[in-house]
Amino acid sequence: SGGGGGGANRDEKQAALMQKRLEEKRKHAKGDEDDEKSQVVGEKWAAPFKSSRDYPDLPPNEIFVDKDAMTVFVPISGAHVPIHISTIKTLVQPEPDKASYLRLNFYAPGQSLKDAPPAMARAVERFGKRDVFVKELLFRSLEQRKLNAAYRQIHELRKRYKSDQDQKAEERDLVVQEQLVKLPRPPRLSDVTLRPFISGKKTTGTVEIHKNGLRFISKKNETLDIIFANVKHALFQPCENEVIVLLHLHLKHPIMVGKKKSADVQFMTEVVDASLALDNARRSMYDPDELDEEQRQRDLRKKLNKIFKDFSKQIEQHAAAARLEFDIPYRDLAFHGVPHREMVLIQPTVHCLVCLTETPFFVVELDHVEHVHFERCTLRATNFDMVLINKNFNLNPWVINAIPMTELDAIQEWLTDCSLTYTAGQASLSWKQVMNLVKSDDRFYEDTDEDGEDKPAGWQFLQAEDDDADGDGDDADDDDDYEQDAADDDDDDDDDDDE
């Protein structure tokens, strides 16, 4: 925290905020437990065949792949046994000798279930200690052609099954949107780029405002509808020091953009061409053409900012029923950091913390933030990391790395103004272990443990661990001083001997 009276006042506000949050969490702890219990729902296996009478015509003593039922029939002791494709972990063709071989490896207890389909992973966890699992089957045939065909068909079926499961996972939390009600002459914004792209390396086209939503029509005649009722946050970022001006929509429920699910949709226009900017970089600052070009760029920025702002106002008028309002990021509170792979400018808004100029987008809703922790906060450090802990402890925290240390005071002030609690420490923590620890602690928000012993309540343990680290650091310094004194004494003794 910062020094002086401002820092002391902020520390007092933080202490009051922390206490208020602890009281709220203790009050709702019982209700949260009930909610978690109600969310545990069993899932049954879906058997592709009810009885052997439903089997297709099967060739004797051969592996048969039923693509429609996602099932592989394998011959065992003269009878065909159906195996669902989700149970097969890998398939291998060992080196042939006089005969050919095909080995099927299955998911079984004691193996990593990281890549297993969810239903298979649950079955292994549930029945692994009680039932016997087949780990592998090896088939031998003198006809290499048939085993090669079976290998190819099973391999293709596994790819198809995985693709189907990935698609279902993408669409699992999609909500059916209401139909777009079209206007005869909708207001339009032309020559804008849609991000994420529907297809290819770039998607450009026109945005139309209709009665209950927006429609984007690309130059390839691809369409994307966004219903006003599904928009949670709308942001207008004018072109100031960036090369783009944009309108960004953060959605309540994800929609499919092309073949991928996205909770963010953006319409943007580049103000200056990247190649043009490089050409300008080689000119002299006193070049009259350069001065004219800069003036043209300023005029273009001003014109595009006005066009996008006017269009956002038109959207607000048509979306009055959905109470949609566009916010502008606070550039004066912006700071640099690395939320993904590169250093970007991160800006707060009324409800979010965002980076909208680079992809993937970084959008954190402040309502979803439980607590903020700052890592690597030492006197010698030039930058620090910021960890925003999600209220849903099953989701990973958001991490922004390499924020300049000069920004720490302003960020802490902003968090306090937003009524968000924070702690700061010197160490970089393993957040997977921290969150597992928090989830397993039934008395996390209490100030005593099960034995009645005092302990830090809630996220105060992060600060407490840092204090312990400070104490350990002092001891280490004392040890270093002692070793240095001893070394000095030895040097003095050597000097006496020399005399």
Side-chain angles (χ1 to χ4, degrees):
S1 62
N9 187 35
R10 188 169 67 239
D11 290 344
E12 291 174 6
K13 289 180 181 177
Q14 274 291 314
L17 273 174
M18 187 76 80
Q19 192 59 37
K20 183 181 176 184
R21 290 285 176 273
L22 288 172
E23 290 171 3
E24 289 174 357
K25 291 294 181 181
R26 289 166 187 161
K27 192 181 294 182
H28 292 99
K30 181 68 171 66
D32 291 342
E33 287 174 12
D34 295 340
D35 290 343
E36 286 175 12
K37 289 176 184 175
S38 67
Q39 289 171 7
V40 179
V41 180
E43 190 169 325
K44 296 180 180 178
W45 275 101
F49 301 100
K50 292 183 179 179
S51 73
S52 59
R53 291 190 295 273
D54 300 327
Y55 290 177
D57 293 332
L58 302 170
N61 293 320
E62 287 185 19
I63 296 175
F64 180 79
V65 179
D66 188 339
K67 295 181 179 178
D68 294 332
M70 292 282 177
T71 300
V72 180
F73 287 90
V74 297
I76 299 178
S77 300
H80 277 96
V81 178
I83 297 173
H84 195 268
I85 195 67
S86 65
T87 64
I88 299 175
K89 185 177 182 181
T90 55
L91 62 159
V92 181
Q93 278 191 302
E95 285 292 325
D97 42 34
K98 292 180 181 179
S100 297
Y101 299 92
L102 176 63
R103 185 170 71 240
L104 304 181
N105 298 317
F106 302 96
Y107 291 103
Q111 299 177 352
S112 170
L113 301 175
K114 180 179 161 187
D115 299 324
M120 187 67 221
R122 283 192 290 271
V124 172
E125 290 170 0
R126 183 177 178 185
F127 303 110
K129 295 180 180 177
R130 189 185 74 190
D131 295 341
V132 176
F133 279 67
V134 176
K135 191 173 182 181
E136 65 178 54
L137 291 174
L138 181 66
F139 298 93
R140 178 180 180 273
S141 175
L142 294 174
E143 295 189 42
Q144 185 175 4
R145 179 179 55 83
K146 290 186 176 180
L147 276 190
N148 286 347
Y151 174 85
R152 186 182 69 255
Q153 291 173 3
I154 296 172
H155 190 67
E156 289 174 356
L157 189 60
R158 287 184 72 242
K159 286 173 66 176
R160 182 177 142 198
Y161 176 78
K162 187 176 185 307
S163 176
D164 290 347
Q165 292 301 305
D166 291 345
Q167 185 71 16
K168 287 179 182 177
E170 283 282 313
E171 299 175 355
R172 186 169 295 141
D173 55 351
L174 295 178
V175 175
V176 178
Q177 304 293 315
E178 61 183 279
Q179 290 294 316
L180 187 74
V181 180
K182 297 174 70 176
L183 295 176
R185 292 183 179 177
R188 290 183 174 91
L189 183 62
S190 303
D191 296 323
V192 296
T193 299
L194 172 74
R195 297 198 298 184
F197 308 140
I198 295 177
S199 63
K201 294 185 177 179
K202 196 171 186 181
T203 303
T204 57
T206 301
V207 190
E208 299 177 346
I209 304 176
H210 291 277
K211 187 174 181 180
N212 64 334
L214 303 174
R215 168 164 285 184
F216 176 83
I217 306 171
S218 75
K219 291 181 178 178
K220 297 178 184 177
N221 216 27
E222 302 158 318
T223 61
L224 178 71
D225 294 342
I226 302 154
I227 306 302
F228 292 140
N230 190 34
V231 178
K232 190 166 188 182
H233 301 296
L235 301 167
F236 162 55
Q237 184 170 306
C239 178
E240 294 184 8
N241 293 334
E242 293 88 7
V243 294
I244 62 173
V245 55
L246 61 87
L247 298 177
H248 189 97
L249 304 176
H250 184 65
L251 308 179
K252 296 176 184 175
H253 306 289
I255 61 173
M256 295 300 291
V257 181
K259 294 182 179 179
K260 291 192 176 180
K261 182 174 65 178
S262 179
D264 292 276
V265 177
Q266 185 182 105
F267 308 107
M268 51 81 71
T269 293
E270 292 186 358
V271 179
V272 58
D273 219 19
S275 59
L276 184 63
L278 289 173
D279 289 341
N280 289 344
R282 291 192 288 269
R283 293 183 183 176
S284 166
M285 62 181 292
Y286 301 109
D287 188 346
D289 292 337
E290 167 72 2
L291 298 175
D292 291 342
E293 183 61 39
E294 286 181 1
Q295 184 58 46
R296 280 195 295 272
Q297 287 295 327
R298 280 195 292 270
D299 293 342
L300 180 59
R301 287 170 190 262
K302 192 173 180 181
K303 179 183 174 183
L304 284 173
N305 284 344
K306 185 178 186 308
I307 290 172
F308 270 69
K309 186 174 183 180
D310 291 346
F311 194 73
S312 71
K313 294 297 180 186
Q314 287 181 301
I315 294 175
E316 288 178 350
Q317 290 170 8
H318 285 78
R323 298 181 180 178
L324 190 63
E325 292 184 5
F326 278 83
D327 292 331
I328 299 177
Y330 301 131
R331 194 172 183 88
D332 54 328
L333 296 176
F335 58 91
H336 287 87
V338 183
H340 297 298
R341 291 185 177 180
E342 57 184 334
M343 181 71 72
V344 294
L345 185 70
I346 299 169
Q347 304 180 83
T349 70
V350 176
H351 303 289
C352 305
L353 186 64
V354 302
C355 171
L356 307 177
T357 53
E358 303 294 334
T359 54
F361 304 124
F362 180 74
V363 180
V364 177
E365 296 179 58
L366 299 182
D367 287 345
H368 292 177
V369 177
E370 161 87 7
H371 178 77
V372 178
H373 182 67
F374 299 102
E375 297 182 325
R376 300 192 300 115
C377 291
T378 63
L379 293 174
R380 296 180 181 177
T382 57
N383 52 49
F384 64 93
D385 303 331
M386 180 178 177
V387 182
L388 300 106
I389 299 167
N390 199 313
K391 285 183 178 177
N392 182 352
F393 292 168
N394 293 317
L395 299 178
N396 291 331
W398 299 278
V399 181
I400 306 173
N401 294 310
I403 304 172
M405 189 59 74
T406 52
E407 306 282 3
L408 181 61
D409 208 52
I411 293 174
Q412 291 182 342
E413 191 70 40
W414 168 68
L415 290 173
T416 304
D417 291 341
C418 294
S419 298
L420 285 171
T421 59
Y422 66 79
T423 48
Q426 298 181 10
S428 293
L429 304 175
S430 170
W431 284 97
K432 186 175 181 181
Q433 293 180 5
V434 170
M435 297 315 296
N436 287 337
L437 178 70
V438 170
K439 285 189 288 185
S440 64
D441 188 355
D442 295 333
R443 298 182 60 82
F444 177 67
Y445 292 106
E446 303 294 333
D447 54 10
T448 57
D449 59 20
E450 294 176 354
D451 299 326
E453 297 290 330
D454 289 341
K455 73 172 187 67
W459 300 105
Q460 292 174 341
F461 84 97
L462 295 170
Q463 197 79 52
E465 285 185 358
D466 184 51
D467 293 340
D468 293 342
D470 289 343
D472 294 341
D474 293 341
D475 293 341
D477 290 341
D478 292 343
D479 291 341
D480 292 342
D481 292 341
Y482 171 78
E483 291 172 5
Q484 183 63 45
D485 291 342
D488 291 342
D489 291 341
D490 291 341
D491 291 341
D492 292 341
D493 292 341
D494 294 339
D495 291 340
D496 292 341
D497 295 339
D498 292 339
E499 290 175 5

